[in-house]
Amino acid sequence: MDESRAVVVVGGTGLVGGEILKLLRQTYPQVRLMVASRSLERAQQAAGPLGAEPLVVDVAKPRPLGALTQPPLAVINAVNDPEDLLLLNAVEAQVPLVDVTRWTTRVRDSLVRLAHRPPSSPVMLASGWMGGMASLAAAAVSQRGPSAQRLDISITYDLQDRSGPDSVEFMDRLGTTFEVMQQGARTAVEPLGPGHAVQFPDGVVRRTYPLDTPEQMTIPLLLGIPSVATRIAFNSRAATLSLVWLARLGVFRWLRHPRFTPLRRALLGSGGKGGRASFVVEAEGRRLSVVDPLGQAHLTAVGAVMALQRLLGWDGAPAAKGVVFPEQHPNPQDALQRASQLGVLLQWN
Protein backbone atom coordinates (compact mmCIF):
# COMPACT_ATOMS: atom_id res chain seq x y z
CA MET A 1 0.00 0.00 0.00
CA ASP A 2 1.45 3.37 -1.09
CA GLU A 3 1.09 5.61 1.98
CA SER A 4 2.65 8.63 0.25
CA ARG A 5 -0.33 9.15 -2.04
CA ALA A 6 -3.77 10.15 -0.84
CA VAL A 7 -7.30 8.89 -1.27
CA VAL A 8 -9.33 11.96 -2.26
CA VAL A 9 -13.00 12.10 -1.28
CA VAL A 10 -14.79 14.64 -3.47
CA GLY A 11 -17.81 15.96 -1.61
CA GLY A 12 -16.15 15.01 1.67
CA THR A 13 -17.96 17.84 3.48
CA GLY A 14 -21.37 16.35 2.68
CA LEU A 15 -23.34 13.72 4.54
CA VAL A 16 -22.25 10.67 2.52
CA GLY A 17 -18.74 12.01 1.89
CA GLY A 18 -18.25 12.55 5.60
CA GLU A 19 -19.30 8.98 6.34
CA ILE A 20 -16.89 7.69 3.69
CA LEU A 21 -14.02 9.62 5.28
CA LYS A 22 -14.82 8.32 8.75
CA LEU A 23 -14.95 4.72 7.53
CA LEU A 24 -11.69 5.08 5.64
CA ARG A 25 -9.94 6.54 8.67
CA GLN A 26 -11.35 3.74 10.84
CA THR A 27 -10.41 0.99 8.38
CA TYR A 28 -7.11 2.34 7.06
CA PRO A 29 -5.65 4.65 9.72
CA GLN A 30 -2.32 4.84 7.89
CA VAL A 31 -3.73 6.06 4.57
CA ARG A 32 -3.47 9.74 3.62
CA LEU A 33 -6.91 11.28 3.18
CA MET A 34 -7.89 14.46 1.39
CA VAL A 35 -11.24 16.20 1.84
CA ALA A 36 -12.25 17.87 -1.43
CA SER A 37 -14.89 20.60 -1.63
CA ARG A 38 -15.64 23.76 -3.60
CA SER A 39 -15.11 25.62 -0.31
CA LEU A 40 -11.63 25.58 1.20
CA GLU A 41 -13.05 26.65 4.56
CA ARG A 42 -15.50 23.75 4.67
CA ALA A 43 -12.80 21.34 3.55
CA GLN A 44 -10.51 22.54 6.34
CA GLN A 45 -13.26 22.16 8.95
CA ALA A 46 -14.02 18.60 7.85
CA ALA A 47 -10.37 17.59 7.47
CA GLY A 48 -9.16 18.69 10.91
CA PRO A 49 -10.81 16.06 13.15
CA LEU A 50 -9.78 13.27 10.78
CA GLY A 51 -6.16 14.25 10.36
CA ALA A 52 -6.88 14.71 6.67
CA GLU A 53 -5.81 17.40 4.21
CA PRO A 54 -8.15 19.95 2.59
CA LEU A 55 -8.40 20.36 -1.18
CA VAL A 56 -10.46 22.63 -3.43
CA VAL A 57 -12.26 20.71 -6.20
CA ASP A 58 -15.12 22.05 -8.32
CA VAL A 59 -16.67 19.38 -10.55
CA ALA A 60 -18.36 22.09 -12.62
CA LYS A 61 -15.00 23.36 -13.90
CA PRO A 62 -12.60 21.73 -16.38
CA ARG A 63 -9.85 19.56 -14.85
CA PRO A 64 -11.30 19.49 -11.32
CA LEU A 65 -8.20 17.69 -9.99
CA GLY A 66 -5.83 20.34 -11.31
CA ALA A 67 -4.90 21.60 -7.83
CA LEU A 68 -3.21 18.31 -6.92
CA THR A 69 0.58 18.37 -6.95
CA GLN A 70 0.83 14.61 -7.54
CA PRO A 71 -1.65 11.95 -8.74
CA PRO A 72 -3.66 10.58 -5.83
CA LEU A 73 -3.93 6.90 -5.00
CA ALA A 74 -7.63 7.02 -5.85
CA VAL A 75 -10.65 9.33 -5.94
CA ILE A 76 -14.06 8.60 -4.44
CA ASN A 77 -16.76 10.88 -5.81
CA ALA A 78 -19.76 11.61 -3.58
CA VAL A 79 -21.25 14.57 -5.49
CA ASN A 80 -23.03 14.77 -8.82
CA ASP A 81 -20.63 15.08 -11.75
CA PRO A 82 -23.18 16.26 -14.36
CA GLU A 83 -20.78 16.79 -17.26
CA ASP A 84 -18.40 13.94 -16.35
CA LEU A 85 -15.59 16.46 -15.89
CA LEU A 86 -14.25 14.74 -12.79
CA LEU A 87 -14.63 11.30 -14.35
CA LEU A 88 -12.75 12.30 -17.51
CA ASN A 89 -10.06 14.15 -15.56
CA ALA A 90 -9.42 11.05 -13.44
CA VAL A 91 -9.26 8.86 -16.54
CA GLU A 92 -6.86 11.28 -18.23
CA ALA A 93 -4.62 11.36 -15.14
CA GLN A 94 -4.83 7.54 -14.81
CA VAL A 95 -6.30 7.78 -11.32
CA PRO A 96 -8.65 5.00 -10.08
CA LEU A 97 -12.14 6.43 -9.49
CA VAL A 98 -15.15 5.27 -7.49
CA ASP A 99 -18.43 7.06 -8.19
CA VAL A 100 -21.57 6.59 -6.07
CA THR A 101 -23.74 9.32 -7.58
CA ARG A 102 -24.88 8.47 -11.12
CA TRP A 103 -28.47 7.44 -11.80
CA THR A 104 -29.35 5.15 -14.72
CA THR A 105 -29.33 7.58 -17.64
CA ARG A 106 -26.14 9.19 -16.33
CA VAL A 107 -24.44 5.78 -16.16
CA ARG A 108 -25.31 5.27 -19.83
CA ASP A 109 -24.00 8.73 -20.73
CA SER A 110 -20.75 8.07 -18.90
CA LEU A 111 -20.24 4.73 -20.63
CA VAL A 112 -20.66 6.42 -24.01
CA ARG A 113 -18.08 9.07 -23.09
CA LEU A 114 -15.67 6.42 -21.86
CA ALA A 115 -16.03 4.49 -25.12
CA HIS A 116 -14.09 7.33 -26.78
CA ARG A 117 -11.27 7.13 -24.24
CA PRO A 118 -11.12 3.72 -22.54
CA PRO A 119 -9.54 4.13 -19.10
CA SER A 120 -6.14 2.61 -18.38
CA SER A 121 -6.91 2.98 -14.66
CA PRO A 122 -9.99 1.31 -13.15
CA VAL A 123 -13.36 3.05 -12.78
CA MET A 124 -16.04 1.67 -10.46
CA LEU A 125 -19.54 2.97 -11.18
CA ALA A 126 -21.04 2.07 -7.80
CA SER A 127 -24.17 4.15 -8.10
CA GLY A 128 -26.67 1.36 -7.69
CA TRP A 129 -28.75 1.48 -4.51
CA MET A 130 -26.65 2.47 -1.47
CA GLY A 131 -23.26 2.71 -3.13
CA GLY A 132 -23.80 -0.54 -5.02
CA MET A 133 -24.50 -2.57 -1.88
CA ALA A 134 -27.73 -3.90 -3.42
CA SER A 135 -25.76 -4.99 -6.50
CA LEU A 136 -23.13 -6.70 -4.34
CA ALA A 137 -25.87 -8.50 -2.38
CA ALA A 138 -27.54 -9.53 -5.65
CA ALA A 139 -24.28 -11.09 -6.84
CA ALA A 140 -23.95 -13.00 -3.57
CA VAL A 141 -27.54 -14.29 -3.80
CA SER A 142 -26.99 -15.26 -7.43
CA GLN A 143 -23.92 -17.33 -6.53
CA ARG A 144 -25.72 -19.32 -3.83
CA GLY A 145 -27.60 -21.62 -6.15
CA PRO A 146 -28.59 -22.43 -9.72
CA SER A 147 -29.00 -19.69 -12.30
CA ALA A 148 -31.82 -17.35 -11.32
CA GLN A 149 -34.51 -16.33 -13.76
CA ARG A 150 -35.74 -13.48 -11.60
CA LEU A 151 -34.25 -11.27 -8.92
CA ASP A 152 -36.12 -8.76 -6.75
CA ILE A 153 -34.62 -5.97 -4.63
CA SER A 154 -37.03 -4.50 -2.08
CA ILE A 155 -36.08 -1.34 -0.18
CA THR A 156 -37.38 0.35 2.97
CA TYR A 157 -36.75 4.11 3.02
CA ASP A 158 -36.80 5.40 6.60
CA LEU A 159 -38.25 8.91 6.61
CA GLN A 160 -36.51 9.60 9.93
CA ASP A 161 -33.10 8.95 8.41
CA ARG A 162 -30.63 11.70 7.59
CA SER A 163 -30.51 12.60 3.91
CA GLY A 164 -28.67 15.13 1.81
CA PRO A 165 -29.78 16.70 -1.49
CA ASP A 166 -28.04 14.07 -3.63
CA SER A 167 -29.55 11.15 -1.72
CA VAL A 168 -33.06 12.21 -2.76
CA GLU A 169 -32.06 13.06 -6.33
CA PHE A 170 -34.26 10.27 -7.64
CA MET A 171 -37.29 12.37 -6.71
CA ASP A 172 -36.59 14.34 -9.88
CA ARG A 173 -37.28 11.19 -11.91
CA LEU A 174 -40.57 10.09 -10.36
CA GLY A 175 -42.37 11.57 -13.34
CA THR A 176 -40.31 9.72 -15.93
CA THR A 177 -40.97 6.26 -17.38
CA PHE A 178 -37.92 3.99 -17.26
CA GLU A 179 -36.87 0.59 -18.61
CA VAL A 180 -36.17 -2.68 -16.81
CA MET A 181 -35.41 -6.16 -18.06
CA GLN A 182 -38.31 -8.59 -17.83
CA GLN A 183 -37.85 -12.09 -19.24
CA GLY A 184 -34.85 -10.86 -21.18
CA ALA A 185 -36.67 -8.00 -22.89
CA ARG A 186 -36.62 -4.28 -22.20
CA THR A 187 -39.91 -3.25 -20.63
CA ALA A 188 -41.17 0.27 -19.94
CA VAL A 189 -42.20 0.82 -16.32
CA GLU A 190 -43.95 3.72 -14.63
CA PRO A 191 -42.30 4.88 -11.39
CA LEU A 192 -44.35 3.91 -8.34
CA GLY A 193 -46.52 1.70 -10.56
CA PRO A 194 -48.16 -1.59 -9.48
CA GLY A 195 -47.07 -2.72 -6.03
CA HIS A 196 -45.64 -5.93 -4.60
CA ALA A 197 -45.92 -7.00 -0.93
CA VAL A 198 -42.68 -7.93 0.87
CA GLN A 199 -41.85 -8.80 4.47
CA PHE A 200 -38.89 -6.75 5.68
CA PRO A 201 -36.31 -7.57 8.37
CA ASP A 202 -38.33 -5.68 11.00
CA GLY A 203 -41.17 -8.17 10.43
CA VAL A 204 -43.47 -5.63 8.77
CA VAL A 205 -45.07 -6.48 5.42
CA ARG A 206 -44.97 -3.42 3.16
CA ARG A 207 -46.18 -2.86 -0.36
CA THR A 208 -43.24 -1.83 -2.53
CA TYR A 209 -43.33 0.11 -5.82
CA PRO A 210 -41.05 0.39 -8.87
CA LEU A 211 -38.09 2.76 -8.69
CA ASP A 212 -35.53 3.68 -11.36
CA THR A 213 -32.11 2.44 -10.20
CA PRO A 214 -28.99 1.53 -12.22
CA GLU A 215 -28.72 -2.07 -11.05
CA GLN A 216 -31.87 -2.93 -12.99
CA MET A 217 -29.86 -2.19 -16.14
CA THR A 218 -26.50 -3.65 -15.09
CA ILE A 219 -27.42 -6.87 -13.25
CA PRO A 220 -29.24 -8.50 -16.21
CA LEU A 221 -26.31 -7.71 -18.52
CA LEU A 222 -23.53 -8.68 -16.11
CA LEU A 223 -25.08 -11.57 -14.16
CA GLY A 224 -27.33 -12.92 -16.90
CA ILE A 225 -30.56 -12.75 -14.88
CA PRO A 226 -33.46 -12.20 -17.34
CA SER A 227 -35.77 -10.31 -14.94
CA VAL A 228 -34.63 -7.79 -12.31
CA ALA A 229 -36.84 -5.38 -10.38
CA THR A 230 -36.06 -2.83 -7.68
CA ARG A 231 -38.96 -1.51 -5.60
CA ILE A 232 -39.27 0.84 -2.66
CA ALA A 233 -41.55 1.39 0.32
CA PHE A 234 -41.36 3.98 3.07
CA ASN A 235 -41.53 3.08 6.71
CA SER A 236 -44.67 5.20 6.84
CA ARG A 237 -47.57 3.59 4.98
CA ALA A 238 -49.28 6.97 4.67
CA ALA A 239 -46.18 8.49 3.04
CA THR A 240 -45.91 5.58 0.61
CA LEU A 241 -49.54 5.83 -0.47
CA SER A 242 -49.34 9.62 -0.78
CA LEU A 243 -46.36 9.47 -3.14
CA VAL A 244 -47.91 6.65 -5.16
CA TRP A 245 -51.08 8.66 -5.72
CA LEU A 246 -49.14 11.83 -6.54
CA ALA A 247 -47.22 9.86 -9.17
CA ARG A 248 -50.37 8.30 -10.63
CA LEU A 249 -52.09 11.66 -10.82
CA GLY A 250 -49.15 12.93 -12.85
CA VAL A 251 -48.11 15.54 -10.28
CA PHE A 252 -44.42 14.80 -10.71
CA ARG A 253 -44.70 15.30 -14.47
CA TRP A 254 -46.27 18.71 -13.87
CA LEU A 255 -43.48 19.66 -11.47
CA ARG A 256 -40.58 18.96 -13.86
CA HIS A 257 -39.87 22.65 -14.44
CA PRO A 258 -36.63 23.74 -12.66
CA ARG A 259 -38.54 26.28 -10.57
CA PHE A 260 -40.22 23.35 -8.76
CA THR A 261 -36.99 21.47 -7.98
CA PRO A 262 -36.92 22.51 -4.29
CA LEU A 263 -40.54 21.39 -3.89
CA ARG A 264 -39.92 17.99 -5.47
CA ARG A 265 -36.92 17.32 -3.27
CA ALA A 266 -38.70 18.58 -0.17
CA LEU A 267 -41.19 15.74 -0.57
CA LEU A 268 -38.45 13.29 0.41
CA GLY A 269 -35.92 15.55 2.08
CA SER A 270 -35.53 14.51 5.66
CA GLY A 271 -34.71 16.54 8.69
CA GLY A 272 -34.51 13.34 10.69
CA LYS A 273 -31.90 12.55 13.31
CA GLY A 274 -31.21 9.12 11.89
CA GLY A 275 -32.84 5.83 11.00
CA ARG A 276 -32.22 2.34 9.69
CA ALA A 277 -31.45 1.47 6.08
CA SER A 278 -32.63 -1.92 4.90
CA PHE A 279 -33.30 -3.91 1.77
CA VAL A 280 -34.07 -7.49 0.81
CA VAL A 281 -32.76 -9.42 -2.20
CA GLU A 282 -34.71 -12.49 -3.36
CA ALA A 283 -34.06 -14.97 -6.17
CA GLU A 284 -35.37 -18.52 -6.68
CA GLY A 285 -36.23 -18.99 -3.00
CA ARG A 286 -32.95 -17.51 -1.80
CA ARG A 287 -33.29 -14.41 0.37
CA LEU A 288 -30.74 -12.02 1.88
CA SER A 289 -31.72 -9.18 4.21
CA VAL A 290 -29.29 -6.28 4.62
CA VAL A 291 -29.72 -3.78 7.46
CA ASP A 292 -27.57 -0.85 8.51
CA PRO A 293 -28.65 0.50 11.90
CA LEU A 294 -26.67 3.68 11.18
CA GLY A 295 -28.72 4.59 8.12
CA GLN A 296 -28.46 5.08 4.39
CA ALA A 297 -25.49 7.48 4.39
CA HIS A 298 -23.42 4.96 6.36
CA LEU A 299 -24.53 2.07 4.14
CA THR A 300 -23.61 4.04 1.03
CA ALA A 301 -20.22 4.77 2.58
CA VAL A 302 -19.70 1.05 3.23
CA GLY A 303 -20.46 0.46 -0.46
CA ALA A 304 -17.87 3.09 -1.40
CA VAL A 305 -15.22 1.43 0.79
CA MET A 306 -16.01 -1.98 -0.71
CA ALA A 307 -15.64 -0.43 -4.18
CA LEU A 308 -12.30 1.18 -3.30
CA GLN A 309 -10.98 -2.13 -1.98
CA ARG A 310 -12.01 -3.81 -5.24
CA LEU A 311 -10.38 -1.16 -7.44
CA LEU A 312 -7.06 -1.24 -5.62
CA GLY A 313 -6.96 -4.96 -4.83
CA TRP A 314 -7.13 -4.30 -1.09
CA ASP A 315 -9.66 -7.15 -0.78
CA GLY A 316 -7.05 -9.79 -1.63
CA ALA A 317 -8.11 -10.29 -5.26
CA PRO A 318 -6.22 -8.78 -8.22
CA ALA A 319 -6.98 -5.08 -8.69
CA ALA A 320 -9.84 -4.32 -11.07
CA LYS A 321 -9.23 -3.21 -14.64
CA GLY A 322 -11.27 -0.94 -16.88
CA VAL A 323 -14.87 0.03 -16.10
CA VAL A 324 -16.46 -2.26 -13.51
CA PHE A 325 -19.62 -2.51 -11.42
CA PRO A 326 -20.09 -3.85 -7.86
CA GLU A 327 -21.89 -7.02 -9.00
CA GLN A 328 -18.72 -8.08 -10.87
CA HIS A 329 -16.88 -8.70 -7.61
CA PRO A 330 -15.03 -12.05 -7.83
CA ASN A 331 -16.15 -12.99 -4.29
CA PRO A 332 -19.22 -10.95 -3.29
CA GLN A 333 -19.94 -13.06 -0.22
CA ASP A 334 -16.47 -12.29 1.12
CA ALA A 335 -17.08 -8.58 0.43
CA LEU A 336 -20.36 -8.73 2.36
CA GLN A 337 -18.59 -10.32 5.31
CA ARG A 338 -16.14 -7.41 5.31
CA ALA A 339 -19.11 -5.05 5.16
CA SER A 340 -20.50 -6.77 8.26
CA GLN A 341 -17.29 -5.82 10.08
CA LEU A 342 -18.24 -2.19 9.39
CA GLY A 343 -21.63 -2.57 11.07
CA VAL A 344 -23.87 -3.95 8.32
CA LEU A 345 -26.21 -6.76 9.46
CA LEU A 346 -26.78 -9.73 7.13
CA GLN A 347 -29.44 -12.41 7.41
CA TRP A 348 -29.82 -15.33 4.99
CA ASN A 349 -33.15 -17.18 4.74
Side-chain angles (χ1 to χ4, degrees):
M1 185 182 298
D2 185 352
E3 297 181 21
S4 67
R5 298 164 64 199
V7 174
V8 177
V9 179
V10 179
T13 60
L15 180 60
V16 171
E19 291 292 335
I20 293 171
L21 285 162
K22 285 190 287 187
L23 277 181
L24 287 173
R25 179 54 75 224
Q26 169 189 331
T27 310
Y28 300 106
Q30 75 277 26
V31 169
R32 281 183 64 199
L33 296 178
M34 299 189 80
V35 181
S37 172
R38 288 179 298 177
S39 165
L40 178 59
E41 181 180 0
R42 292 185 63 194
Q44 290 171 331
Q45 291 174 349
L50 295 168
E53 303 164 44
L55 178 70
V56 175
V57 169
D58 187 345
V59 298
K61 295 182 179 180
R63 299 180 61 82
L65 301 174
L68 288 165
T69 57
Q70 65 171 332
L73 188 62
V75 170
I76 300 178
N77 182 36
V79 296
N80 284 324
D81 181 19
E83 301 301 326
D84 288 334
L85 296 177
L86 178 62
L87 170 66
L88 297 177
N89 192 185
V91 168
E92 177 188 28
Q94 300 182 19
V95 174
L97 173 76
V98 173
D99 186 281
V100 298
T101 67
R102 285 167 167 77
W103 56 90
T104 310
T105 54
R106 292 284 296 107
V107 169
R108 290 175 177 147
D109 291 347
S110 300
L111 291 175
V112 170
R113 284 195 170 105
L114 290 174
H116 291 283
R117 54 195 89 182
S120 56
S121 54
V123 172
M124 172 73 81
L125 297 178
S127 53
W129 189 255
M130 296 294 102
M133 287 298 293
S135 301
L136 196 60
V141 169
S142 177
Q143 282 190 354
R144 278 215 166 187
S147 299
Q149 295 301 301
R150 179 177 185 84
L151 184 138
D152 291 284
I153 300 170
S154 304
I155 299 160
T156 297
Y157 190 107
D158 190 335
L159 292 171
Q160 297 305 310
D161 202 355
R162 299 175 301 154
S163 62
D166 290 344
S167 66
V168 295
E169 193 72 34
F170 66 83
M171 281 298 295
D172 287 349
R173 300 185 300 287
L174 288 182
T176 304
T177 301
F178 61 95
E179 288 185 339
V180 300
M181 295 295 288
Q182 293 294 320
Q183 299 180 347
R186 295 185 182 276
T187 304
V189 173
E190 291 291 332
L192 301 180
H196 178 74
V198 177
Q199 183 172 20
F200 283 91
D202 59 5
V204 177
V205 175
R206 298 184 177 93
R207 200 156 189 84
T208 60
Y209 297 88
L211 176 72
D212 183 13
T213 54
E215 69 272 0
Q216 293 174 97
M217 174 186 73
T218 59
I219 289 175
L221 297 174
L222 298 173
L223 299 185
I225 301 176
S227 299
V228 176
T230 299
R231 302 183 184 89
I232 192 168
F234 302 94
N235 62 331
S236 163
R237 184 172 181 270
T240 301
L241 293 177
S242 296
L243 284 171
V244 167
W245 280 108
L246 286 172
R248 292 180 182 176
L249 290 171
V251 171
F252 292 110
R253 296 181 189 275
W254 302 339
L255 296 178
R256 282 183 184 174
H257 192 281
R259 76 179 67 172
F260 296 118
T261 296
L263 174 59
R264 294 195 308 275
R265 296 180 183 177
L267 291 172
L268 268 190
S270 171
K273 301 295 184 181
R276 290 159 52 97
S278 68
F279 63 84
V280 176
V281 179
E282 298 173 286
E284 308 296 338
R286 306 186 291 272
R287 174 183 165 107
L288 172 61
S289 300
V290 178
V291 177
D292 192 327
L294 298 179
Q296 61 183 4
H298 184 266
L299 185 55
T300 302
V302 172
V305 172
M306 297 297 103
L308 180 70
Q309 292 176 343
R310 180 78 296 278
L311 280 198
L312 300 180
W314 290 357
D315 54 9
K321 296 181 179 180
V323 181
V324 292
F325 293 86
E327 56 266 43
Q328 293 176 281
H329 198 290
N331 193 343
Q333 298 190 54
D334 175 69
L336 288 178
Q337 286 303 313
R338 283 183 283 104
S340 71
Q341 296 171 9
L342 298 177
V344 177
L345 308 178
L346 309 172
Q347 181 179 345
W348 288 92
N349 297 102

